[in-house]
Amino acid sequence: MSESSRLPSRIAQKLAERQQQGLHRSVRAFHHQDGKLIDEHNNTYLNFSGNDYLGLANDPALISAWQDGLSLYGAGSTASPLVTGFSHAHQALEASLCEWLGFDKALLFNSGFSANQAVIFSLLEKGDVLFQDKLNHASLMEAGILSEATMLRFLHNNIAKLDSGLKNQADAPSRFVITEGVFSMDGDLSPLADIASVCRANEACLMVDDAHGIGALGKEGRGSCDNAGIQPDILIVPFGKAFGMMGAAVMCSAQVHDYLTQFARHYVYSTAMPPAQAYALSKAVSIIRKDNWRREKLHELSSLFHCVLSEHHGVVETQTPIKPVVLGDVTTMLTAAEHLKSAGFWTGAIRPPTVPPNSSRLRITLSVNQTLDDVNALACKLRHILEGERHE
C-alpha cells in the first residue's frame, strides 16, 4: 500500500477497537474425529459447537458416496451450469430434492449465502418492498440492504407488526417476506403458519431460509415448513448443517426457476458445485429421509439437556438442537466458555456483533454424534458454573 494511504491506520484502529472490546475473533484449525475436536496442541474436546445435527459429516455411507462420485465424475465441474458444468449428478440431486420437498424445481448454489443473495438481487426491483424478520441471517440482511427494493424489518416473530407493515405498503408493485425457519442464535421456530396466512391475506410472496430446520424437523426431515404445515413460494435448503456437507438449493416454481436461470448472477457466473458433491448430496437426502432414529435421538438428547438445567433462566428451552445460554456481558460468557473448555467441552462463544449488545451467549448445539452421557456431563458442568455465578 502507498505510504500516503490512510487505509493501514484505519485497519489498525479498527482491530485495536475489537481487541479492547473483547470482540476480536480468530480462526483455529481442528481435526474432527467421532464427534470430538482435536486442536493444534493435541487437546481433545467434545464438540458442542458445530451444526452437524444428524452426524452425517463423517458418516461412512456419505463418505463412500462422495468417493464413488469422484470416481464417476472427477474432481470438479470445470464450468458454470449454463456452459458445461451441469451434470447428470446435479440433475439427479435436483429431482430428489423436488420429490422430497414437493416443489416443481430446484436450483443449486455453492453456499446458502450465495443462494439467498441471488434470489433477492434477481427478483426484487426498485419500488418493491422487502420485509425481513429482525433476526434474519447476515446474508439476507446484506442482500436486502444492497438490493434496489426498500427493505423494512419487523420485530422478531411479530405477526401483528408484519401484517400492519404489509397493509401500509399495499401499493407496492411487489411485497416479499423473508424469514428463517429456525433462528441460528436463539434456536427458536418462526410462526410459519401465521406468517403464511398473513402473506396470503396481503398477496405477498413468502421465502423461508431453513438452514437449521431442514433435516432436523418435520416428517422425513422435510424441515420447518413441513413441521408448520405450509409451503412457501421459495424455500432455501442449505447443505452445510444437517446434510453435513456444503452448498444450497433454491426450491421454487418452474417459472421462478427459469427466471433465476436467466438473471441470477451468482448462478450464471459461478462454477457449478463438483458433480461428486452433488452425487453425495443425493445420498444424504436418502439417509435423512429414512433415518428417523437420528431425529428421535436429537429429541432424547434435548430432553435430557433441559431436564438437568431446568432451573436456570439463562438456558433458553428450544425444540431444536440449538441451545442458547444467554449470559449477558462478554466477560461472563467468555469465562464460562473457558471453564467448559478446561473440562473438555467446546461450545460456541457468541458475542456482538453476531448478537445484540448485552446478550452474549454460549451457543450449545446437539448432534447425533453425542451420547446421553456426553450431554449429561456437559449439562452438569454448566449447571455447576451457573450456580457458582448465582451465589457470587
mmCIF file of all heavy atoms in Angstrom, residues 332-348:
data_model
loop_
_atom_site.group_PDB
_atom_site.id
_atom_site.type_symbol
_atom_site.label_atom_id
_atom_site.label_comp_id
_atom_site.label_asym_id
_atom_site.label_seq_id
_atom_site.Cartn_x
_atom_site.Cartn_y
_atom_site.Cartn_z
ATOM 1 N N THR A 332 -18.403 -12.396 31.183
ATOM 2 C CA THR A 332 -19.057 -13.518 31.858
ATOM 3 C C THR A 332 -19.183 -14.710 30.925
ATOM 4 O O THR A 332 -18.934 -15.867 31.320
ATOM 5 C CB THR A 332 -20.455 -13.100 32.363
ATOM 6 O OG1 THR A 332 -20.317 -12.016 33.278
ATOM 7 C CG2 THR A 332 -21.160 -14.255 33.051
ATOM 8 N N MET A 333 -19.572 -14.437 29.684
ATOM 9 C CA MET A 333 -19.731 -15.508 28.708
ATOM 10 C C MET A 333 -18.407 -16.186 28.408
ATOM 11 O O MET A 333 -18.305 -17.428 28.382
ATOM 12 C CB MET A 333 -20.355 -14.953 27.427
ATOM 13 C CG MET A 333 -20.608 -15.992 26.347
ATOM 14 S SD MET A 333 -19.148 -16.290 25.286
ATOM 15 C CE MET A 333 -18.945 -14.681 24.509
ATOM 16 N N LEU A 334 -17.350 -15.397 28.188
ATOM 17 C CA LEU A 334 -16.040 -15.972 27.867
ATOM 18 C C LEU A 334 -15.480 -16.766 29.043
ATOM 19 O O LEU A 334 -14.840 -17.806 28.855
ATOM 20 C CB LEU A 334 -15.065 -14.864 27.466
ATOM 21 C CG LEU A 334 -15.323 -14.200 26.106
ATOM 22 C CD1 LEU A 334 -14.328 -13.058 25.883
ATOM 23 C CD2 LEU A 334 -15.209 -15.212 24.974
ATOM 24 N N THR A 335 -15.736 -16.310 30.251
ATOM 25 C CA THR A 335 -15.282 -17.039 31.440
ATOM 26 C C THR A 335 -15.959 -18.407 31.526
ATOM 27 O O THR A 335 -15.313 -19.425 31.786
ATOM 28 C CB THR A 335 -15.574 -16.231 32.711
ATOM 29 O OG1 THR A 335 -14.893 -14.972 32.644
ATOM 30 C CG2 THR A 335 -15.116 -16.988 33.951
ATOM 31 N N ALA A 336 -17.268 -18.426 31.277
ATOM 32 C CA ALA A 336 -17.999 -19.697 31.294
ATOM 33 C C ALA A 336 -17.496 -20.632 30.200
ATOM 34 O O ALA A 336 -17.325 -21.838 30.424
ATOM 35 C CB ALA A 336 -19.493 -19.435 31.128
ATOM 36 N N ALA A 337 -17.245 -20.069 29.011
ATOM 37 C CA ALA A 337 -16.744 -20.882 27.896
ATOM 38 C C ALA A 337 -15.382 -21.484 28.233
ATOM 39 O O ALA A 337 -15.108 -22.646 27.899
ATOM 40 C CB ALA A 337 -16.659 -20.033 26.633
ATOM 41 N N GLU A 338 -14.530 -20.710 28.919
ATOM 42 C CA GLU A 338 -13.205 -21.211 29.298
ATOM 43 C C GLU A 338 -13.308 -22.321 30.348
ATOM 44 O O GLU A 338 -12.567 -23.295 30.313
ATOM 45 C CB GLU A 338 -12.329 -20.062 29.813
ATOM 46 C CG GLU A 338 -11.747 -19.199 28.715
ATOM 47 C CD GLU A 338 -10.843 -19.998 27.768
ATOM 48 O OE1 GLU A 338 -10.020 -20.791 28.267
ATOM 49 O OE2 GLU A 338 -10.988 -19.836 26.547
ATOM 50 N N HIS A 339 -14.240 -22.175 31.282
ATOM 51 C CA HIS A 339 -14.450 -23.227 32.284
ATOM 52 C C HIS A 339 -14.884 -24.532 31.609
ATOM 53 O O HIS A 339 -14.408 -25.613 31.966
ATOM 54 C CB HIS A 339 -15.499 -22.787 33.305
ATOM 55 C CG HIS A 339 -15.004 -21.790 34.311
ATOM 56 N ND1 HIS A 339 -13.752 -21.851 34.884
ATOM 57 C CD2 HIS A 339 -15.611 -20.708 34.866
ATOM 58 C CE1 HIS A 339 -13.600 -20.859 35.741
ATOM 59 N NE2 HIS A 339 -14.715 -20.134 35.741
ATOM 60 N N LEU A 340 -15.789 -24.417 30.650
ATOM 61 C CA LEU A 340 -16.239 -25.606 29.932
ATOM 62 C C LEU A 340 -15.102 -26.207 29.100
ATOM 63 O O LEU A 340 -14.934 -27.435 29.050
ATOM 64 C CB LEU A 340 -17.426 -25.259 29.027
ATOM 65 C CG LEU A 340 -18.743 -24.973 29.737
ATOM 66 C CD1 LEU A 340 -19.790 -24.466 28.755
ATOM 67 C CD2 LEU A 340 -19.261 -26.230 30.442
ATOM 68 N N LYS A 341 -14.322 -25.334 28.487
ATOM 69 C CA LYS A 341 -13.185 -25.802 27.689
ATOM 70 C C LYS A 341 -12.190 -26.556 28.571
ATOM 71 O O LYS A 341 -11.676 -27.619 28.184
ATOM 72 C CB LYS A 341 -12.515 -24.605 27.015
ATOM 73 C CG LYS A 341 -11.289 -24.952 26.180
ATOM 74 C CD LYS A 341 -10.677 -23.686 25.593
ATOM 75 C CE LYS A 341 -9.332 -23.971 24.961
ATOM 76 N NZ LYS A 341 -8.673 -22.732 24.472
ATOM 77 N N SER A 342 -11.921 -26.038 29.759
ATOM 78 C CA SER A 342 -10.999 -26.700 30.685
ATOM 79 C C SER A 342 -11.503 -28.083 31.086
ATOM 80 O O SER A 342 -10.716 -28.977 31.412
ATOM 81 C CB SER A 342 -10.792 -25.846 31.942
ATOM 82 O OG SER A 342 -10.210 -24.601 31.605
ATOM 83 N N ALA A 343 -12.840 -28.252 31.045
ATOM 84 C CA ALA A 343 -13.434 -29.539 31.400
ATOM 85 C C ALA A 343 -13.589 -30.454 30.186
ATOM 86 O O ALA A 343 -14.125 -31.563 30.321
ATOM 87 C CB ALA A 343 -14.788 -29.316 32.053
ATOM 88 N N GLY A 344 -13.148 -29.974 29.015
ATOM 89 C CA GLY A 344 -13.182 -30.812 27.818
ATOM 90 C C GLY A 344 -14.395 -30.637 26.938
ATOM 91 O O GLY A 344 -14.678 -31.493 26.091
ATOM 92 N N PHE A 345 -15.112 -29.493 27.085
ATOM 93 C CA PHE A 345 -16.300 -29.232 26.268
ATOM 94 C C PHE A 345 -16.067 -27.980 25.420
ATOM 95 O O PHE A 345 -15.780 -26.917 25.964
ATOM 96 C CB PHE A 345 -17.540 -29.022 27.147
ATOM 97 C CG PHE A 345 -17.819 -30.158 28.077
ATOM 98 C CD1 PHE A 345 -17.544 -30.044 29.444
ATOM 99 C CD2 PHE A 345 -18.358 -31.343 27.605
ATOM 100 C CE1 PHE A 345 -17.810 -31.081 30.315
ATOM 101 C CE2 PHE A 345 -18.622 -32.397 28.473
ATOM 102 C CZ PHE A 345 -18.342 -32.274 29.828
ATOM 103 N N TRP A 346 -16.227 -28.114 24.108
ATOM 104 C CA TRP A 346 -16.074 -26.945 23.233
ATOM 105 C C TRP A 346 -17.463 -26.448 22.840
ATOM 106 O O TRP A 346 -18.226 -27.165 22.206
ATOM 107 C CB TRP A 346 -15.270 -27.297 21.983
ATOM 108 C CG TRP A 346 -14.773 -26.065 21.291
ATOM 109 C CD1 TRP A 346 -15.474 -25.259 20.454
ATOM 110 C CD2 TRP A 346 -13.471 -25.476 21.408
ATOM 111 N NE1 TRP A 346 -14.706 -24.193 20.040
ATOM 112 C CE2 TRP A 346 -13.466 -24.306 20.605
ATOM 113 C CE3 TRP A 346 -12.327 -25.826 22.108
ATOM 114 C CZ2 TRP A 346 -12.342 -23.503 20.481
ATOM 115 C CZ3 TRP A 346 -11.203 -25.006 21.979
ATOM 116 C CH2 TRP A 346 -11.216 -23.860 21.168
ATOM 117 N N THR A 347 -17.777 -25.213 23.244
ATOM 118 C CA THR A 347 -19.077 -24.617 22.939
ATOM 119 C C THR A 347 -18.877 -23.330 22.160
ATOM 120 O O THR A 347 -17.806 -22.714 22.203
ATOM 121 C CB THR A 347 -19.860 -24.309 24.231
ATOM 122 O OG1 THR A 347 -19.085 -23.415 25.050
ATOM 123 C CG2 THR A 347 -20.147 -25.581 25.011
ATOM 124 N N GLY A 348 -19.924 -22.896 21.462
ATOM 125 C CA GLY A 348 -19.853 -21.650 20.720
ATOM 126 C C GLY A 348 -19.889 -20.461 21.667
ATOM 127 O O GLY A 348 -20.782 -20.365 22.516
#
